[in-house]
Amino acid sequence: MEKFLLKTVVPPSFSGTACDFLLGQSEISRSRIKDAMNKGALWIKRKKRGKLGRLRRVTAPVFPGDYIEFCYDERLLAVRPKDARCICDQGRYSVWHKPAGMMAQGTMFGDHCSLLRKAELFFKSSREVFPVHRLDRETAGIMLIAHDGSAAASLSELFRVKAMIKKYRAVVLGDLRTSGEKGVIRLALDGKPAVTEFEIASHDAERNTTTVNVMIRTGRLHQIRRHFDMIGFPVIGDPKYGRGNKNAEGMKLVALSLGFRSPFTGLDVEYAADDAA
């Protein structure tokens, strides 16, 4: 069975574990159900109250009235997660280097290939993990993860008020030097203002590519990728906006660093991956 989606309420007659319940609701084997639960594919709302939450413990009981969603995708569950690296642990938040191809957060069908789950496992579930900002799945680079609700709110606010300095490096198709050594792209995205600043780092005439250092003043969806594509210099390897501009090494866009004034210490900080500096 490649894909299976179950949404149901545990009946009054049932007594047993989550795994036993799912065995009776599908043709999926016990070992595959255990694997799917461990990878975050089972959701539960106790007696229809509160919010849906992942249930990973195979031996956990379910009770009549519990609402269950089991989102099984065999192909997704078979994907091996990439390695993410914790660059700095500041207690209330940590700084990570997310590899290209890794999701920032999971989906209803699982989270074993997400950065948040990697952080949970890294800290052995001794801390909560909260998303603070997003980074495209195809983009590698620096990300922040908060470890309490207040820290998440404070860090998210820095992004909202544009107090977070976000630096990227991209390799684009063509000779961007024709636009000068520096430039600013001011093209609205989704009906909202969007500003992307760039500076030429180098040009490869043989490959017809230009490496640029980028800083964005706004945070629109796929902003850098869309902006450079809109001016005719798509990011190398972009699977969506590159117009067939494929690259065996993946998309050439990296989130180099994040800089901000810490809401916890009042000090200016900047975080960058060693291999991205």
Side-chain angles (χ1 to χ4, degrees):
M1 181 178 296
E2 186 173 293
K3 203 164 186 177
F4 176 76
L5 179 60
L6 172 70
K7 296 183 179 182
T8 189
V9 176
V10 178
S13 59
F14 181 81
S15 176
T17 67
C19 185
D20 291 335
F21 179 74
L22 294 176
L23 278 172
Q25 298 290 317
S26 71
E27 298 178 357
I28 304 172
S29 69
R30 182 180 292 273
S31 62
R32 288 185 179 273
I33 288 174
K34 289 181 178 180
D35 179 63
M37 288 182 63
N38 182 59
K39 292 176 179 176
L42 178 64
W43 295 77
I44 189 169
K45 184 190 294 184
R46 293 295 186 184
K47 296 185 178 181
K48 300 184 181 179
R49 292 195 297 268
K51 295 181 179 179
L52 275 174
R54 297 187 199 269
L55 181 62
R56 303 183 195 273
R57 187 161 58 90
V58 176
T59 58
V62 293
F63 303 99
D66 287 349
Y67 174 73
I68 295 285
E69 287 193 16
F70 185 45
C71 308
Y72 182 88
D73 186 333
E74 188 174 329
R75 286 188 295 180
L76 175 63
L77 294 170
V79 175
R80 295 184 62 122
K82 294 177 178 290
D83 288 329
R85 183 160 54 91
C86 182
I87 295 172
C88 183
D89 179 9
Q90 291 292 338
R92 298 191 67 186
Y93 69 93
S94 53
V95 186
W96 291 77
H97 183 268
K98 182 188 83 68
M102 173 177 277
M103 296 182 291
Q105 297 176 252
T107 70
M108 292 295 289
F109 286 87
D111 64 351
H112 70 294
C113 291
S114 73
L115 181 63
L116 283 186
R117 180 57 177 160
K118 280 288 186 179
E120 282 184 341
L121 295 173
F122 180 82
F123 292 113
K124 299 179 180 178
S125 297
S126 62
R127 300 189 208 173
E128 293 183 281
V129 295
F130 295 84
V132 173
H133 60 118
R134 66 183 180 219
L135 197 60
D136 298 344
R137 179 174 182 172
E138 299 88 353
T139 303
I142 298 297
M143 287 197 69
L144 303 179
I145 292 177
H147 297 298
D148 63 72
S150 176
S154 296
L155 293 170
S156 296
E157 179 67 6
L158 294 179
F159 284 94
R160 191 188 72 80
V161 300
K162 302 178 180 60
M164 187 72 65
I165 300 173
K166 298 175 282 187
K167 296 179 181 178
Y168 296 78
R169 179 168 294 155
V171 181
V172 301
L173 181 65
D175 188 354
L176 193 55
R177 295 177 301 174
T178 55
S179 301
E181 293 301 311
K182 296 181 179 181
V184 181
I185 306 172
R186 290 187 177 90
L187 295 172
L189 296 172
D190 305 319
K192 298 178 181 179
V195 180
T196 300
E197 301 176 3
F198 67 88
E199 182 175 355
I200 306 297
S202 63
H203 173 66
D204 189 325
E206 183 177 347
R207 296 186 178 184
N208 189 31
T209 60
T210 305
T211 299
V212 289
N213 294 322
V214 183
M215 187 161 63
I216 57 176
R217 298 299 185 180
T218 49
R220 310 303 177 206
L221 179 65
H222 300 167
Q223 177 173 320
I224 294 173
R225 299 161 61 180
R226 294 165 73 185
H227 263 177
F228 278 103
D229 185 49
M230 289 166 76
I231 66 171
F233 296 88
V235 175
I236 293 293
D238 192 323
K240 187 170 185 178
Y241 304 102
R243 296 195 293 269
N245 181 30
K246 295 182 180 179
N247 175 52
E249 299 175 1
M251 188 170 70
K252 291 297 186 178
L253 176 61
V254 176
L256 283 181
S257 66
L258 287 171
F260 56 97
R261 176 158 293 177
S262 172
F264 315 114
T265 66
L267 300 176
D268 290 331
V269 296
E270 184 174 15
Y271 299 103
D274 295 338
D275 57 356

